[in-house]
């Protein structure tokens, strides 16, 4: 399915202890450009997050915003440092022996010494946290692809309508060529008769002039190539997938043929139609810039 490069996705995942929210928006860009804004606590997972995103996005500029919230009211714990407590205890015992004083060492006394008891933030289980992040990033990515596909479908429908209308214009130009030659032949004959009067016209010279004129204004090759490019683009749109760069190249070739037709045009109607073709091609090129 054809996809636009514009889209939005959001997903929220939570368990009993934490919540992860992922929001992403994407716009058109010549290449793939992913910008991830993530809390420092989750920076360890950035490489994995980018790997997931690349499975869903192949082209475009994507801004990804990830927020993290601890749901537990108290996520700290008391840590007992036994080695430090023993150092204090041994030192106090030695002081009691040295100075021959009463040994009144108690747990409450030891616990008041620095670093014996400390408050530390509980460490999250890395695998559980990654599973939560992975689910949230994947969910937002799927939603982003869905919005891109919907927009791509609208783009495809509009482009097909424009291309089919262009085909009709090209066929009209093709059908006008014989008429233009006949009009030129009649005009040339009338002009020569006006100048020569009763003198007999040399038909071979007249035919040569008409041939030279026909060669100058002939756009058969251009119309054939232009129709081929239009049909090729229609085929690419039906195939879908990642065709943005290919469509852009075809549009450039279409514009080249339309320019040649315009430069050869010796008829006001063909000139206007060639201008219309160029206008439609430019509209198509603008829309193609947003296709993945």
């Amino acid at each position: 399915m054809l996809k636009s490069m514009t889209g939005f996705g959001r997903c929220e995942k939570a368990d009993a202890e934490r919540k992860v929210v992922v929001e992403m928006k994407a716009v058109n860009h010549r290449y793939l450009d992913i910008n991830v804004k993530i809390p420092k606590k989750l920076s360890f997972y950035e490489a994995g997050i980018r790997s997931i995103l690349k499975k869903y996005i192949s082209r475009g500029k994507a801004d990804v915003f990830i927020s993290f919230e601890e749901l537990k009211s108290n996520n700290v714990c008391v840590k007992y440092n036994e080695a430090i407590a023993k150092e204090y205890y041994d030192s106090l015992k030695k002081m009691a022996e040295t100075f021959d004083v009463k040994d009144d060492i108690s747990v409450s006394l030891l616990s008041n010494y620095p670093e014996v008891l400390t408050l530390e933030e509980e460490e999250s289980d890395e695998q559980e946290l990654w599973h939560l992040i992975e689910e949230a990033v994947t969910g937002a990515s799927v939603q982003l692809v869905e919005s891109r596909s919907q927009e791509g479908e609208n783009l495809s429908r509009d482009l097909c309508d424009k291309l089919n209308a262009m085909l009709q214009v090209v066929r009209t130009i093709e059908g006008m060529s014989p008429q233009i030659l006949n009009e030129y032949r009649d005009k040339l004959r009338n002009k020569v008769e006006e100048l020569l009067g009763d003198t007999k016209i040399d038909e071979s010279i007249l035919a040569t002039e008409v041939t030279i004129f026909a060669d100058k204004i002939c756009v058969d090759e251009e119309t054939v190539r232009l129709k081929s490019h239009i049909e090729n683009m229609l085929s690419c749109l039906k195939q879908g997938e990642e065709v943005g760069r290919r469509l852009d190249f075809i549009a450039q070739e279409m514009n080249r043929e339309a320019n040649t037709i315009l430069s050869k045009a010796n008829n006001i109607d063909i000139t206007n139609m060639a201008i219309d073709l160029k206008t439609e091609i430019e509209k198509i090129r603008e829309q193609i810039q947003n296709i993945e």
Side-chain angles (χ1 to χ4, degrees):
M1 182 181 292
L2 191 75
K3 294 194 289 288
S4 165
M5 282 191 280
T6 301
F8 177 82
R10 185 182 189 279
C11 186
E12 179 179 314
K13 293 291 179 179
D15 58 20
E17 298 181 356
R18 57 188 78 84
K19 179 173 72 172
V20 176
V21 179
V22 178
E23 292 184 349
M24 56 182 70
K25 61 179 181 179
V27 294
N28 62 310
H29 194 273
R30 190 173 181 183
Y31 305 106
L32 177 62
D33 181 13
I34 298 175
N35 179 33
V36 180
K37 294 185 178 179
I38 188 171
K40 186 176 180 180
K41 183 174 182 177
L42 306 183
S43 58
F44 172 76
Y45 303 101
E46 183 171 346
I49 292 168
R50 288 182 177 274
S51 295
I52 295 172
L53 293 169
K54 288 178 181 178
K55 295 177 183 178
Y56 294 90
I57 307 170
S58 63
R59 190 169 173 230
K61 177 177 172 57
D63 291 313
V64 183
F65 306 90
I66 300 177
S67 62
F68 175 76
E69 181 182 352
E70 294 280 3
L71 299 180
K72 291 170 60 177
S73 58
N74 182 17
N75 65 332
V76 294
C77 64
V78 177
K79 183 178 179 181
Y80 163 52
N81 298 305
E82 184 178 353
I84 295 177
K86 188 175 184 307
E87 289 285 338
Y88 282 123
Y89 178 78
D90 291 343
S91 296
L92 290 171
K93 289 284 289 184
K94 189 174 182 179
M95 288 173 62
E97 293 172 2
T98 301
F99 297 106
D100 192 23
V101 294
K102 182 181 179 181
D103 182 356
D104 59 351
I105 302 171
S106 65
V107 172
S108 59
L109 175 66
L110 282 174
S111 66
N112 286 326
Y113 285 106
E115 302 300 323
V116 173
L117 297 178
T118 57
L119 292 177
E120 292 187 0
E121 186 175 347
E122 289 184 335
E123 293 185 3
S124 301
D125 184 288
E126 290 185 359
Q127 281 300 113
E128 288 186 5
L129 181 54
W130 168 243
H131 180 67
L132 202 66
I133 295 170
E134 186 179 29
E135 283 189 334
V137 173
T138 299
S141 298
V142 169
Q143 196 177 106
L144 175 71
V145 171
E146 288 175 353
S147 67
R148 284 179 138 200
S149 297
Q150 184 176 359
E151 178 65 20
E153 186 178 344
N154 295 333
L155 278 173
S156 179
R157 192 181 304 113
D158 184 61
L159 287 171
C160 285
D161 289 343
K162 284 181 168 59
L163 291 167
N164 285 319
M166 286 175 60
L167 268 178
Q168 296 303 317
V169 174
V170 175
R171 288 170 181 152
T172 301
I173 292 174
E174 284 181 321
M176 291 181 65
S177 295
Q179 175 189 341
I180 294 172
L181 285 178
N182 290 332
E183 290 177 354
Y184 179 75
R185 182 185 292 107
D186 294 341
K187 188 183 296 184
L188 183 60
R189 181 184 293 277
N190 293 335
K191 189 67 175 178
V192 172
E193 288 177 350
E194 182 182 335
L195 293 173
L196 298 181
D198 296 333
T199 304
K200 186 178 181 180
I201 299 174
D202 189 330
E203 293 294 335
S204 63
I205 295 177
L206 186 64
T208 301
E209 289 296 325
V210 173
T211 301
I212 294 172
F213 176 75
D215 186 60
K216 288 181 179 179
I217 69 163
C218 180
V219 292
D220 290 351
E221 292 183 10
E222 287 78 10
T223 54
V224 168
R225 285 195 293 266
L226 185 50
K227 284 194 299 182
S228 176
H229 293 324
I230 292 172
E231 289 164 358
N232 190 6
M233 186 173 286
L234 284 168
S235 176
C236 287
L237 289 171
K238 290 177 182 177
Q239 291 173 8
E241 300 305 325
E242 299 159 14
V243 294
R245 290 189 178 93
R246 179 175 177 80
L247 293 177
D248 188 46
F249 175 76
I250 296 173
Q252 292 178 42
E253 295 301 307
M254 289 166 56
N255 192 56
R256 183 176 292 111
E257 302 303 337
N259 279 332
T260 306
I261 293 172
L262 182 60
S263 66
K264 288 186 174 182
N266 197 271
N267 176 281
I268 186 62
D269 293 328
I270 291 182
T271 297
N272 289 334
M273 282 188 280
I275 291 173
D276 290 340
L277 284 174
K278 282 180 59 61
T279 302
E280 288 302 302
I281 291 170
E282 189 58 35
K283 291 178 183 177
I284 287 171
R285 289 186 69 180
E286 288 178 2
Q287 288 182 311
I288 286 173
Q289 301 309 310
N290 201 35
I291 293 176
E292 187 176 18

